[in-house]
Amino acid sequence: MDFGLVLQTDPPASRVISLMKRAERNGFTHGWTFDSAVLWQEPFVVYSQILANTTSLKVGPMVTNPGTRTWEVTASTFATLNDMYGNRTVCGIGRGDSAMRVAGRKPNTLARLGEAIEVIRDLAEGREAEVDGQRLRLPWVRDGKLPVWMAAYGPKALALTGRKADGFILQLADPFLTEWMVKAVRNAAAEAGRDPDSVTICVAAPAYVGDDLAHAREQCRWFGGMVGNHVADLVSRYGDHSGMVPEALTEYIKGREGYDYSHHGRAGNPSTDFVPDEIVDRFCLLGPPEAHIEKLRALRDLGVDQFAVYDMHDAQETTIDAYGAEIIPALRD
């Protein structure tokens, strides 16, 4: 199993770079950041410095979207980083939650997302693609490689992931839901004539290492609120008892009364009072190293290839070091 570190690009960028260097020293293979132009600093600028200050770490957004940048700009940016640092980027992409809503726009449609996945990958790898009716190619790309991993929860998005994406990003670490969603992605891949095992599975969730569970829960409760935004979209689209989405995912948002994006992805988010302890425990990894190892082994057995640690809490260095000293070695044995 591979491991990634997920951060927000809060200033100063030097701290983000420092934490990513620490992660690489501790055995992490991927460095991810949020991508929301209003809420945080521009991630692609920071990626350049992360790549320059590490040797093998792969970087990318978790996640970008097809609406805040034109597709040829997104592809060119990835391709430039790859040309400079040797194909060390991954494009995590989704419909766009905070990036679009904070700017007063609606998230992208799945049809637009599916088209963008193919166009961005083709352009970044040097192939011709059509953008707004115009055939384009980046003539300077040589031997470019850009895996595109899609974030998804609902049945239509999971099916699209299986049909078109190189990887699947699932932003929660509940084994029951992981099994259900991984199966949906792999089935869609098989139905599209693809090798289901060719789709990389990445589970991303907060991890907090320590014995004080009450404190760890409060530091990670924000995650249930973030996931709740996507779940609320699913409920509005499919209904909460449609059978299309597991009730294990939809039941907890009944007490949700809105969401303030100014606290998005941050410990102490006041918009997450509706998230019960049970959801925090199910969606996140909390407790001593042994508890993390046990849950990660269960996820690995379900086909998870990478666990990406959301490290937005008050124990960032401690968590990175604990993973490097005890948890990552146990999962690689």
Side-chain angles (χ1 to χ4, degrees):
M1 180 181 274
D2 285 336
F3 288 83
L5 183 72
V6 188
L7 300 173
Q8 295 164 335
T9 49
D10 286 316
S14 57
R15 174 161 174 78
V16 177
I17 296 161
S18 176
L19 289 170
M20 291 297 186
K21 290 168 61 178
R22 191 184 197 106
E24 184 179 58
R25 292 196 302 270
N26 276 282
F28 289 76
T29 59
H30 288 69
W32 304 93
T33 74
F34 283 27
D35 177 14
S36 191
V38 175
L39 297 178
W40 302 288
Q41 292 185 331
E42 172 54 40
F44 287 94
V45 177
V46 181
Y47 295 156
S48 187
Q49 286 301 301
I50 294 171
L51 290 164
N53 283 276
T54 56
T55 58
S56 61
L57 196 74
K58 296 180 179 180
V59 304
M62 191 175 281
V63 293
T64 193
N65 72 87
T68 51
R69 298 177 181 84
T70 60
W71 301 349
E72 69 273 19
V73 170
T74 298
S76 181
T77 305
F78 277 111
T80 301
L81 292 172
N82 283 336
D83 186 66
M84 292 172 67
Y85 299 105
N87 287 337
R88 289 169 55 196
T89 67
V90 180
C91 177
I93 195 167
R95 293 177 60 227
D97 178 36
S98 64
M100 296 297 285
R101 296 185 199 275
V102 168
R105 308 184 186 105
K106 293 181 179 180
N108 298 270
T109 65
L110 287 176
R112 180 175 171 82
L113 176 56
E115 185 182 356
I117 287 172
E118 295 182 331
V119 168
I120 291 168
R121 180 170 51 211
D122 282 346
L123 290 175
E125 294 185 349
R127 295 184 294 276
E128 187 178 86
E130 184 175 306
V131 182
D132 296 330
Q134 182 74 27
R135 301 299 297 182
L136 301 176
R137 186 175 70 85
L138 305 181
W140 49 269
V141 174
R142 299 287 184 273
D143 302 317
K145 185 66 176 175
L146 182 65
V148 181
W149 297 6
M150 180 177 156
Y153 291 108
K156 292 181 180 179
L158 294 169
L160 178 62
T161 303
R163 291 196 306 270
K164 294 194 175 184
D166 301 298
F168 167 42
I169 296 173
L170 173 57
Q171 295 174 89
L172 54 81
D174 176 70
F176 171 79
L177 292 169
T178 297
E179 182 176 20
W180 185 85
M181 294 184 185
V182 169
K183 183 178 179 180
V185 168
R186 295 211 188 281
N187 285 345
E191 290 171 2
R194 305 179 65 197
D195 176 4
D197 293 329
S198 69
V199 182
T200 303
I201 307 297
C202 175
V203 162
Y208 197 107
V209 182
D211 295 322
D212 188 343
L213 281 178
H215 180 73
R217 286 179 183 128
E218 290 311 311
Q219 286 293 303
C220 299
R221 197 175 303 278
W222 62 266
F223 185 66
M226 187 185 83
V227 173
N229 293 333
H230 303 288
V231 176
D233 282 346
L234 295 178
V235 169
S236 67
R237 189 172 299 115
Y238 299 106
D240 54 359
H241 296 292
S242 65
M244 299 287 288
V245 183
E247 288 189 24
L249 181 60
T250 62
E251 187 69 21
Y252 84 97
I253 69 160
K254 289 183 177 179
R256 183 178 181 270
E257 297 181 351
Y259 191 82
D260 181 355
Y261 279 93
S262 66
H263 303 283
H264 190 57
R266 300 186 186 281
N269 187 335
S271 301
T272 59
D273 292 343
F274 68 95
V275 181
D277 288 351
E278 177 195 3
I279 288 294
V280 181
D281 293 346
R282 282 173 46 197
F283 285 11
C284 305
L285 275 76
L286 312 174
E290 296 78 15
H292 292 245
I293 292 168
E294 180 182 5
K295 192 166 187 177
L296 286 168
R297 283 177 173 158
L299 292 170
R300 184 180 61 184
D301 290 345
L302 294 173
V304 175
D305 300 297
Q306 180 181 147
F307 176 62
V309 175
Y310 278 111
D311 203 24
M312 282 76 83
H313 49 58
D314 65 0
Q316 291 180 305
E317 289 90 349
T318 300
T319 296
I320 294 169
D321 293 347
Y323 264 71
E326 300 184 63
I327 298 168
I328 291 177
L331 270 294
R332 289 191 176 153
D333 289 342

